[in-house]
Amino acid sequence: MAGVGSGSVERTGGRGKASMLQDDIHSALEHYLETKPCGLHFRRLNRGWYGFARSDGAGGDRMVELSLVNNKLKARYEASSTDKGWNNGKFGDMDRFCKFAEQVQDEEE
């Protein structure tokens, strides 16, 4: 992908090409990754659900829920038995999420 960002997004899952063309969340994620620096690779699993990992391939694949709130892309990453979570399980700013996710995966190496 051309642009400022170093992140990427992969189109898999869902109900086919027609559903992805109408997916405003996926379009917002593609635009975000083209314009902002983010060292994550996102893999679409379903509308609003993505697996993510570092762009350099280090670290494992994790799950995040994305949504548009007031036309702004937001992320929710909930705590589990193995992860401490982020933003108390609430939707938060995508810039903050990218920084958090990159930092957590750096700590695991």
Side-chain angles (χ1 to χ4, degrees):
M1 288 186 138
V4 174
S6 58
S8 63
V9 63
E10 181 180 327
R11 291 180 175 228
T12 60
R15 295 180 140 218
K17 197 172 202 175
S19 68
M20 284 189 278
L21 292 174
Q22 299 170 0
D23 190 347
D24 51 347
I25 296 169
H26 191 78
S27 297
L29 177 60
E30 286 180 326
H31 180 263
Y32 176 83
L33 293 173
E34 288 174 355
T35 59
K36 303 277 185 160
C38 181
L40 301 175
H41 171 79
F42 291 87
R43 184 173 47 90
R44 183 183 190 271
L45 303 171
N46 208 337
R47 187 176 194 279
W49 286 98
Y50 289 81
F52 71 93
R54 283 191 13 196
S55 293
D56 62 7
D61 206 20
R62 298 179 181 202
M63 308 287 280
V64 63
E65 181 181 1
L66 301 180
S67 182
L68 288 176
V69 178
N70 295 326
N71 278 336
K72 294 179 183 174
L73 187 62
K74 302 288 184 173
R76 175 167 46 194
Y77 182 69
E78 295 186 19
S80 68
S81 60
T82 57
D83 286 321
K84 62 181 177 179
W86 172 75
N87 206 34
N88 295 319
K90 299 176 184 171
F91 282 107
D93 185 64
M94 193 67 181
D95 291 333
R96 286 184 45 229
F97 172 74
C98 282
K99 288 178 187 172
F100 162 80
E102 290 170 8
Q103 180 182 10
V104 167
Q105 293 193 347
D106 281 342
E107 291 172 0
E108 291 179 352
E109 290 183 351

